[in-house]
Amino acid sequence: MSAHKEEMVELCAAYALGTIEEKDRKRLEAHLADGCAECETALREFGYGATLLAASAPRVLPLPGLRERAFAALSSEEGAPQPGTRERGAAVSGGSGAEGAKVLRLPRKGRPGWFAWTGWIAAAILLVSSGTFYESTGRLRAILRAREADLNSTARDLAVERQWSGVLASPIARVADLAPPAPLAGETSGIRGRAVYDPASRRAVIVLTNAAAPDSQSFQLWALRGLSPTSLGVIHPDEHGAAVLRLESAGEPTTLTAFAVSLEPKGGSPARTGPSGPVVLMGPLRESPRGPSRG
Amino acid sequence: MSESDFERIRGVQEGDRDAVAALYDRYTPLLYPLLVRITGDRNEADEALVEVWTRAWREARGYDPNRGTVAAWLLGIARACAVRRVPAGAVSGRRGAGDFDAGAAHADDPDDSPGRRQLAERVRRALGALEPKHRRVLESSFFDGLSTPEIAGRMNAPAVMVRSWTRQALARLRELLPSEEWA
């Protein structure tokens, strides 16, 4: 972790407002990459100011069609073909004149005889059966596409689950048993929890039981980085009071020391810098009893 | 950051389109007025908004909750997308100083929620209570898209002073409005 430099706080302000110069941005990024809890706090606070400034701009909304345009742009970002794009493109080029002018004119023929009628009937049967075949093929393609999408979705889910099970299985994982720092009374007294943090991925999984808060209150999760608490959000347990929280980026291994849970007014602590209510659970992170040699 | 935003950004990181749609619906009303304000042009703001969400989708894995909320992260992207659409030195085409008056508020947004309107009012009042130099550095930097040296030139003050005023202005704004949230 790098030593805090006061001059960096002013760069954090410029960073949050977007006015930072490139050379200063690189300096600040390098400083943050080394880990500086004070500057991270400053960034959060100045970012809060930037959000307030944006909220003060005269209200105006985009037209509804822009939402579709934005999502169409996301699709092209993934490299996925836009539905119907090729067909639309072909229709436009086909109707643009140049290719239409190349159509050959066949000589006119006399009235068709019975042989020709047989030919027309055969062609009609072929056309109908081709249409049916085309429709069936289209349906099959749609089914295949749906199955493919399901498969991709399942593969993605599996990859995500593997990532999270990797946190629990990590040989260098650190664990924290979350217990009341002082005896609790009343309906919140049963809350307990356990946190597993993987320093390699920065991910953490936190499991809480009996975490149902009284009606007018919420439990809020905190990470302690050094001595500074950082909110990780309000906890929404299921109807049995259980909650499994997956944190994508719980903090840097050099600064993250513990997790805590506080009992707050509904919606979370009004003080953004820390808990406003009692801390009901606390647990310092320690090396996993499995030890690193198991990996 | 609210837990739901945490869930949404995690979803975006995992390629979940519903998650990015939820973020779009929640934060476009915050981002779009800023884009219009900086570019001074609805068409440019439209283009910028599409770019914002494309970048958010592409760069979601770079989001670090230790450095701020999802809203602040999106605003950083939005401001960058808007500023690069404004020719250098073309500040005169944008809305200028004095835009913190309440008169122009929500004129174009019939669906604006009362909570957001009231938040905008509170922020405008707080900005009005700032020292003029503090208000000016915030306006010039955030809404006019000027860099620190440009602001220093316009205010005839050293850049180091402008940096210091920016920090003081944001700290003062926070003192005046310690606990607000984009609902």
Side-chain angles (χ1 to χ4, degrees), chain A residues 103-109:
Chain A
V103 174
L104 296 176
R105 290 185 181 282
L106 296 174
R108 287 173 69 88
K109 288 188 175 176

Side-chain angles (χ1 to χ4, degrees), chain A residues 165-189:
Chain A
S165 65
V167 173
L168 304 176
S170 167
I172 58 168
R174 297 175 192 173
V175 296
D177 289 319
L178 305 177
L184 299 173
E187 53 188 307
T188 63
S189 62

Side-chain angles (χ1 to χ4, degrees), chain A residues 48 59 225 234 246 272, chain B residues 3 10 29 66 177 180:
Chain A
Y48 168 74
R59 314 303 318 150
R225 296 173 179 142
V234 171
R246 293 167 162 187
R272 289 163 181 276
Chain B
E3 192 185 25
R10 205 175 63 197
N66 296 331
L177 297 169
E180 301 284 356

Side-chain angles (χ1 to χ4, degrees), chain A residues 183-269:
Chain A
L184 299 173
E187 53 188 307
T188 63
S189 62
I191 185 171
R192 293 290 184 276
R194 187 176 173 85
V196 181
Y197 166 72
D198 176 19
S201 65
R202 273 56 166 177
R203 292 191 178 98
V205 177
I206 296 165
V207 180
L208 297 166
T209 54
N210 299 320
D215 279 348
S216 59
Q217 292 177 295
S218 301
F219 285 120
Q220 188 165 359
L221 180 67
W222 301 86
L224 267 68
R225 296 173 179 142
L227 294 174
S228 306
T230 301
S231 173
L232 296 175
V234 171
I235 297 161
H236 298 289
D238 65 15
E239 66 272 25
H240 306 295
V244 178
L245 310 169
R246 293 167 162 187
L247 307 175
E248 187 65 44
S249 180
E252 293 297 313
T254 49
T255 54
L256 183 64
T257 54
F259 289 103
V261 174
S262 65
L263 185 61
E264 302 291 344
K266 194 87 180 165
S269 170

